[in-house]
Amino acid sequence: MSIRVVVVQRRMTHYRVAFFEELRSQLQGKGIELTVAYGQVTTAEEEKDDSADIVWGVKLKTKYYLNGRICFQPLKEIVKNTDLLVITLENKLICNIWHQFFKKNYKIILWGHGANLQGDSVSYREKFKKILVRKADWWFVYTAMGIPIIKNAGYPENRVKVLNNSIDTESMQRMMAVACAPQSKVIKEQIEIFGNNVAIYVGSLYEEKRIEFMLEAAVKIREKISDFELIVVGAGSHIGVVKNYCVKYKWIKYLGVKKNQEKINLISLAKVMLNPGAVGLGVLDSFVCQVPLATTDCGLHGPEIVYLENHVNGLMSKNSLPEYV
C-alpha cells in the first residue's frame, strides 16, 4: 500500500512545474503517490503572466473575497485517504487554516516563510500567524532565514527542514550554453541595443519591486556612462510606468514577458541585473547566467536573499538612490 501525499498551492507558476514533475518521479520510486492541487490566480496576478498548469495536477475551484484578502479553496475531497497534507501558511487561505485546526487522519507539513517578510511584525495578522506556525507536524522553510522566525513563534527547531528554495537551474545552464556571441549580436540589432554597457531587469512589475526607483537610477547611471542601456523584461501593474520611461528615453527597452531560451538570451547580453526592490528566486538567474545582481537593503526581499553575498556573488547597496547608482 503506497503512501499518499497531497501538496496544495494557491496557484501554479511556470517556474514550479519542473520541480513538481521531478518530485513526482522520485517519490514514485519510493512507493509514494503525489497529488498536486492548485487554484486560479487573482485578477492582479493575471497581469504577471507567470501561471502554468500541470497535466496530472488537480485544479481547485478557487474563490477570492475582499479584493483577494480571503481565498477559499475546498480541500474536503482532496484530503480523503491522504497520509500527508503539505500546505502553505497564509492568513488568507481559510481552508488551510481549517485543516490545521481540525485535521483528522493525516499529518500536516507547513511550507513557507513563517511570516510575511514585508509585513508588520506586531500587527494582529502576524500575531495570528505565529499561532498558525505551531499548528503543524513538520515545517519546510524556504531558506535558513526561516529558522529563527519559526523558532521565535514557539515551534521546535528539530522539526524544521531547510529546503533552500530553487528552480530548475540545470535546464537554465543548458540554455545559457547555447546563448552564443553571434546570436547575441543579432538580438542586439533586433531590439536596437547599441552600447556595451547593458543592464537588464527580469521579473514582475509591481510596487515591491520598486520599478520607478530602478528607472530613476538608470537615468542617473546614463549620465555617468554614456552608452548605458536598460532592458526590462516582465509584466504587472507597473507596465505603464515602464512604457512612459521608454517613450522619454529610447535607450530603455521594454520587451514584455520572456521565458526559457528567450529570457536567457537577453540576460546574456547584460553586464548587470538590476532589482533594487524585492529579490526572490530571480537571484538564481543571476548566478546561472553569471550576470551579477545589484539590489538594495530595502527590507522587502524574499528568503532567497540569503544566497546573495555582498561583493562576492552580487551587490547590495544602502537603500538610497545615490548609493545604488
Side-chain angles (χ1 to χ4, degrees), residues 141-189:
V141 289
Y142 283 125
T143 70
M145 180 188 287
I147 291 180
I149 295 173
I150 304 299
K151 188 177 178 180
N152 289 340
Y155 194 85
E157 187 177 346
N158 63 355
R159 285 194 275 150
V160 181
K161 176 66 177 178
V162 178
L163 296 184
N164 286 321
N165 193 35
S166 183
I167 53 176
D168 179 15
T169 56
E170 291 184 358
S171 63
M172 201 188 308
Q173 288 171 347
R174 291 192 292 270
M175 288 184 279
M176 188 61 190
V178 300
C180 54
Q183 184 183 39
S184 298
K185 184 178 179 181
V186 172
I187 295 171
K188 289 179 80 171
E189 290 175 352

Side-chain angles (χ1 to χ4, degrees), residues 219-258:
V219 172
K220 298 293 184 184
I221 295 169
R222 175 80 175 193
E223 292 173 1
K224 297 174 180 287
I225 304 173
S226 60
D227 68 338
F228 177 80
E229 294 172 277
L230 173 63
I231 300 169
V232 180
V233 173
S237 59
H238 281 48
I239 284 180
V241 175
V242 177
K243 288 183 176 179
N244 287 340
Y245 271 80
C246 290
V247 170
K248 189 174 181 180
Y249 304 102
K250 301 302 181 184
W251 47 270
I252 300 177
K253 309 292 182 180
Y254 174 62
L255 302 180
V257 175
K258 302 294 179 183

Side-chain angles (χ1 to χ4, degrees), residues 84-88 107-111 136-140:
L84 183 63
L85 178 64
V86 184
I87 53 178
T88 53
K107 300 289 187 180
I108 284 184
I109 293 181
L110 286 176
W111 180 8
D137 297 289
W138 196 267
W139 253 99
F140 289 155

Side-chain angles (χ1 to χ4, degrees), residues 27 45 54 57 81 89 126 181 196 205 218 272 291 307 319 324:
L27 291 181
E45 287 167 339
I54 295 179
N81 302 316
L89 181 72
E126 292 306 303
N196 291 318
L205 306 175
V272 65
V291 179
Y307 303 153
N319 187 27
Y324 190 63

Side-chain angles (χ1 to χ4, degrees), residues 24-215:
R24 186 191 192 208
S25 176
Q26 291 200 24
L27 291 181
Q28 281 178 337
K30 299 178 182 295
I32 300 173
E33 177 189 347
L34 174 66
T35 299
V36 175
Y38 59 95
Q40 291 81 38
V41 300
T42 64
T43 302
E45 287 167 339
E46 286 178 353
E47 297 177 338
K48 296 182 180 181
D49 193 22
D50 63 355
S51 298
D53 284 310
I54 295 179
V55 176
W56 47 270
V58 177
K59 293 184 181 180
L60 299 170
K61 291 182 179 180
T62 305
K63 294 182 180 180
Y64 293 98
Y65 304 96
L66 301 177
N67 292 322
R69 291 194 292 271
I70 297 293
C71 174
F72 180 83
Q73 290 181 311
L75 305 181
K76 184 177 179 180
E77 293 300 318
I78 202 76
V79 299
K80 286 183 178 179
N81 302 316
T82 294
D83 298 294
L84 183 63
L85 178 64
V86 184
I87 53 178
T88 53
L89 181 72
E90 290 184 62
N91 288 347
K92 71 169 68 174
L93 301 176
I94 56 175
C95 291
N96 287 10
I97 295 172
W98 173 268
H99 286 273
Q100 282 184 256
F101 281 92
F102 302 106
K103 68 170 184 171
K104 295 184 178 179
N105 301 317
Y106 49 85
K107 300 289 187 180
I108 284 184
I109 293 181
L110 286 176
W111 180 8
H113 314 303
N116 180 357
L117 301 182
Q118 287 87 44
D120 181 356
S121 61
V122 298
S123 68
Y124 287 113
R125 290 178 62 85
E126 292 306 303
K127 287 179 179 179
F128 178 58
K129 192 170 286 184
K130 284 185 177 181
I131 297 172
L132 297 180
V133 163
R134 301 191 292 269
K135 301 297 290 183
D137 297 289
W138 196 267
W139 253 99
F140 289 155
V141 289
Y142 283 125
T143 70
M145 180 188 287
I147 291 180
I149 295 173
I150 304 299
K151 188 177 178 180
N152 289 340
Y155 194 85
E157 187 177 346
N158 63 355
R159 285 194 275 150
V160 181
K161 176 66 177 178
V162 178
L163 296 184
N164 286 321
N165 193 35
S166 183
I167 53 176
D168 179 15
T169 56
E170 291 184 358
S171 63
M172 201 188 308
Q173 288 171 347
R174 291 192 292 270
M175 288 184 279
M176 188 61 190
V178 300
C180 54
Q183 184 183 39
S184 298
K185 184 178 179 181
V186 172
I187 295 171
K188 289 179 80 171
E189 290 175 352
Q190 289 174 342
I191 62 177
E192 299 183 330
I193 289 288
F194 305 107
N196 291 318
N197 290 301
V198 179
I200 190 168
Y201 170 83
V202 179
S204 298
L205 306 175
Y206 60 91
E207 188 70 31
E208 287 76 13
K209 292 293 187 178
R210 306 178 75 204
I211 301 302
E212 195 152 13
F213 181 104
M214 177 188 71
L215 295 168

